[in-house]
Amino acid sequence: MKKRILSVLVSVAAFSTMIFVPGIDVTASDSEPIMVDGSYLTHEDSSTGNTLSNARGEYLMTGECSISKAGLTRVYSYASTTANYSIDYIMTIGYVEQYHPDVEKWGQVDYYYDDIENTYYLSLDKSVKVDRGYYYRTRANHIVRHNGVYEETASATNGIFLP
């Protein structure tokens, strides 16, 4: 008789557990970050982008850009261009872009540029006021000229989210 009562109690306990304890929902998550025009949409505080190593030229060594959060409604954008040695002319153009989810494209918010002669390095930066609730990235063009020969490459960061 004790075995039968114990068996009924275990059965009732098992049945109650199945009914009253919520099940674990196992679903595939979209942990893969979304990429738009070469930039991932991230929730990082900053991002840096570099030119590809195969973009090096006879005069152009590398280009770099970065973006970081600079407050609730500001981003800090930076871009630089480095030549292999002192050359005739360097120009860097930086663009701050906002991701528009309705059209799934980046749109320009602001830009900045500078150029200089007879050097091997140029860097510039800008603090830009932006709207919250969007992703932002920096994209840059890196241009050099020496002895009448132009070389150009580009770089871009991943998108960072301003909540």
Side-chain angles (χ1 to χ4, degrees):
M1 184 73 169
K2 286 184 178 179
K3 286 184 180 183
R4 185 172 229 177
I5 293 174
L6 186 59
S7 175
V8 169
L9 288 176
V10 169
S11 296
V12 169
F15 182 75
S16 297
T17 302
M18 289 189 300
I19 291 177
F20 296 111
V21 176
I24 298 173
D25 217 359
V26 180
T27 58
S29 70
D30 294 343
S31 61
E32 289 284 323
I34 298 169
M35 180 184 272
V36 179
D37 192 23
S39 297
Y40 287 105
L41 303 180
T42 72
H43 287 269
E44 303 294 322
D45 290 336
S46 65
S47 180
T48 300
N50 295 294
T51 58
L52 301 174
S53 60
N54 62 359
R56 291 182 64 157
E58 185 177 348
Y59 307 113
L60 179 62
M61 182 187 294
T62 188
E64 179 180 86
C65 62
S66 67
I67 191 166
S68 59
K69 295 177 184 178
L72 291 176
T73 60
R74 286 204 169 273
V75 293
Y76 172 77
S77 179
Y78 166 87
S80 69
T81 303
T82 306
N84 288 321
Y85 47 82
S86 186
I87 60 172
D88 296 339
Y89 176 81
I90 296 178
M91 180 177 204
T92 304
I93 308 167
Y95 306 90
V96 176
E97 297 179 328
Q98 178 188 64
Y99 176 64
H100 298 285
D102 52 337
V103 292
E104 297 180 349
K105 292 187 180 202
W106 294 99
Q108 184 176 313
V109 174
D110 204 347
Y111 74 98
Y112 53 99
Y113 68 93
D114 199 3
D115 59 353
I116 193 167
E117 295 181 351
N118 301 316
T119 189
Y120 70 94
Y121 180 74
L122 172 63
S123 69
L124 53 152
D125 58 32
K126 187 169 188 176
S127 176
V128 179
K129 185 169 176 39
V130 295
D131 295 327
R132 295 173 68 181
Y134 293 95
Y135 291 92
Y136 294 91
R137 76 172 181 177
T138 294
R139 186 174 54 83
N141 289 5
H142 312 279
I143 304 159
V144 299
R145 182 191 75 222
H146 192 66
N147 294 331
V149 176
Y150 281 89
E151 295 177 346
E152 180 177 358
T153 190
S155 61
T157 67
N158 288 327
I160 60 172
F161 187 73
L162 262 69

